[in-house]
């Protein structure tokens, strides 16, 4: 097996035009944010005699006050986010997939699966996936690509890439910046975001989550049987039962519609039964390999920024006029991860 959840789709901002400071995202370099539930304000008049409280209330009603800030909404948060809160994705961590007349952009999660990411980068430099195929499109689950040849002896060589990698299901939680979701989760003791990805953690370990758009490395029954050559993307309701069972390697930040609109496979688990049903991959490259004039460059809202903390709160409490029930809680996979085009982008 194996978004963008671009602003265009998620937030009507679309992956477009990114001014901003380029922030290199390594553990400890981005400022850490945290989010705690709003605490009830104390009763101003508590313990004050009624007549005195009435006078204070009267004075308060006539005292000049600053206009209250408008309620937080997704659109308001994104409009007010400063350029410093947008992180430019490094060219060697942006995988560019051209397929079926469209383009898919994948940010690689080097901090969580360093050996798999290194192998994927090597495979991309070797143009390993060029001419291979999307082999599976399972309704409300995943889209998968790689070498369709079932006979291992006839499969395309991995060249200089490694043929054996350790399972990278989780990592130590120390040194990771953290932006918390304050609401409970069914699968993890805590959930939140780190370095641009949805993450679960306990007292010792942290791991990527199978949210929509997340990309994983398919494997067999052996935990260490993935190489990064067979990849899949979550294209339906988040299959969180897969967390810590498969190595996740990144996230689609743009072009999910290219994959989700493919014809569904009719074979078991959504595999295409006939070769002519498969969708040929034109090419997969690292952005760093593409000529500057044509190179896509993207920025995402830093998950360690104050703006992202506000975004979480805006999604927990829906202040848009349409909402009757303001909700007041959220599940980690329902928080959008905004992306926009950098002004240096060549595409």
């Amino acid at each position: 097996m194996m978004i963008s959840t671009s602003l265009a789709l998620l937030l009507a901002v679309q992956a477009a035009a990114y001014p901003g400071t380029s922030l290199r995202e390594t553990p400890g370099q981005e400022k850490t944010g945290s989010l705690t539930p709003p605490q009830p304000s104390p009763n101003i008049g508590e313990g004050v005699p009624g007549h005195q409280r009435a006078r204070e209330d009267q004075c308060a009603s006539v005292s000049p006050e600053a206009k209250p800030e408008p309620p937080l909404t997704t659109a308001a948060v994104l409009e007010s986010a400063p350029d410093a809160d947008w992180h430019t994705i490094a060219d060697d961590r942006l995988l560019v997939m051209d397929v079926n007349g469209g383009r898919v952009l994948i940010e690689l999660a080097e901090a969580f699966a360093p050996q798999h990411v290194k192998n994927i980068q090597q495979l991309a430099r070797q143009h390993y996936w060029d001419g291979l195929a999307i082999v599976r499109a399972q309704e409300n689950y995943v889209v998968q690509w790689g070498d369709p040849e079932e006979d291992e002896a006839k499969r395309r060589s991995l060249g200089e890439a490694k043929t054996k990698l350790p399972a990278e299901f989780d990592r130590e939680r120390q040194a990771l910046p953290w932006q918390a979701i304050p609401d409970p989760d069914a699968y993890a003791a805590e959930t939140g975001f780190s370095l641009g990805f949805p993450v679960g953690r306990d007292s010792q370990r942290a791991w990527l989550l199978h949210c929509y758009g997340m990309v994983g490395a398919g494997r067999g029954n052996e935990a260490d049987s993935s190489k990064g050559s067979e990849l899949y993307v979550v294209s339906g309701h988040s299959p969180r039962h897969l967390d810590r069972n498969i190595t996740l390697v990144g996230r689609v930040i743009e072009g999910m519609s290219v994959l989700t609109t493919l014809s569904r496979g009719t074979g078991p688990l959504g595999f295409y039964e006939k070769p002519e049903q498969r969708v040929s991959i034109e090419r997969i490259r690292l952005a760093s390999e593409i000529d500057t004039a044509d190179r896509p460059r993207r920025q995402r809202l830093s998950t360690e920024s104050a703006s992202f903390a506000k975004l979480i709160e805006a999604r927990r409490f829906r202040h848009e006029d349409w909402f009757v029930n303001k909700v007041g809680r959220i599940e980690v996979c329902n928080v959008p991860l905004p992306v926009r085009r950098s002004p240096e982008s060549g595409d």
Side-chain angles (χ1 to χ4, degrees):
M1 289 191 318
M2 263 298 284
I3 160 155
S4 135
T5 305
S6 67
L7 296 187
L9 299 176
L10 292 175
L11 319 163
V13 180
Q14 174 58 15
Y18 284 168
T21 306
S22 175
L23 304 178
R24 186 111 180 132
E25 206 173 41
T26 55
Q29 282 190 310
E30 287 196 64
K31 53 182 179 290
T32 301
S34 63
L35 182 64
T36 56
Q39 301 299 314
S41 300
N43 187 341
I44 294 174
E46 191 171 351
V48 179
H51 65 281
Q52 182 179 341
R53 187 186 314 128
R55 287 197 305 270
E56 289 175 352
D57 290 345
Q58 185 178 15
C59 291
S61 66
V62 298
S63 298
E65 295 181 357
K67 292 183 178 179
E69 292 186 6
L72 284 176
T73 64
T74 299
V77 170
L78 293 174
E79 184 177 356
S80 63
D83 288 343
D85 283 358
W86 291 90
H87 168 80
T88 301
I89 299 169
D91 293 340
D92 63 350
R93 292 206 299 271
L94 185 63
L95 202 62
V96 183
M97 178 182 186
D98 292 326
V99 62
N100 203 36
R103 172 165 281 186
V104 180
L105 303 181
I106 300 168
E107 181 180 6
L108 297 173
E110 185 176 32
F112 292 89
Q115 296 199 51
H116 279 76
V117 167
K118 186 176 181 179
N119 229 38
I120 289 168
Q121 290 169 325
Q122 180 60 39
L123 290 168
R125 293 187 186 101
Q126 294 173 181
H127 304 171
Y128 169 80
W129 288 283
D130 295 11
L132 294 183
I134 293 176
V135 298
R136 177 186 183 189
Q138 186 173 1
E139 176 64 23
N140 195 33
Y141 202 52
V142 300
V143 174
Q144 181 177 334
W145 61 92
D147 192 335
E149 179 56 62
E150 295 183 7
D151 186 345
E152 190 71 30
K154 296 180 180 179
R155 287 194 161 201
R156 183 174 293 185
S157 169
L158 299 185
E160 296 181 16
K162 293 183 178 180
T163 58
K164 188 74 172 177
L165 296 174
E168 295 181 291
F169 299 163
D170 57 15
R171 55 155 289 171
E172 292 184 357
R173 60 173 274 174
Q174 285 73 20
L176 282 175
W178 183 250
Q179 185 73 266
I181 294 290
D183 303 307
D185 183 76
Y187 292 91
E190 298 177 79
T191 60
F193 294 86
S194 184
L195 304 176
F197 297 96
V199 175
R201 70 180 189 177
D202 57 23
S203 61
Q204 301 292 325
R205 310 291 291 178
W207 56 93
L208 295 176
L209 304 179
H210 274 79
C211 296
Y212 182 84
M214 291 296 287
V215 177
R219 69 171 178 87
N221 285 336
E222 298 78 17
D224 61 352
S225 57
S226 58
K227 311 177 189 69
S229 56
E230 301 284 331
L231 299 175
Y232 67 91
V233 62
V234 176
S235 58
H237 183 74
S238 307
R240 293 283 307 284
H241 59 286
L242 299 179
D243 295 352
R244 305 183 85 177
N245 283 293
I246 301 177
T247 298
L248 287 169
V249 299
R251 182 177 75 92
V252 171
I253 63 164
E254 185 175 305
M256 274 298 292
S257 61
V258 176
L259 302 174
T260 57
T261 55
L262 295 173
S263 297
R264 304 301 189 256
T266 55
L269 302 178
F271 281 92
Y272 292 123
E273 297 182 276
K274 300 176 181 179
E276 58 268 25
Q277 294 176 316
R278 299 171 188 148
V279 180
S280 179
I281 296 171
E282 181 181 344
R283 68 174 187 171
I284 295 181
R285 297 284 187 275
L286 294 171
S288 56
E289 295 182 278
I290 300 173
D291 290 342
T292 303
D294 300 318
R295 182 180 302 168
R297 301 203 75 196
R298 297 293 183 268
Q299 294 176 330
R300 55 171 170 74
L301 190 64
S302 171
T303 52
E304 287 66 60
S305 67
S307 294
F308 192 76
K310 291 179 181 178
L311 178 67
I312 292 175
E313 193 68 5
R315 302 299 285 192
R316 292 181 70 235
F317 293 90
R318 302 306 298 268
H319 294 291
E320 293 87 350
D321 291 340
W322 183 89
F323 283 88
V324 176
N325 171 23
K326 303 302 182 184
V327 189
R329 64 181 60 219
I330 198 166
E331 196 271 334
V332 62
C333 290
N334 283 347
V335 177
L337 290 162
V339 175
R340 68 182 189 181
R341 181 175 279 107
S342 167
E344 293 84 19
S345 186
D347 65 344

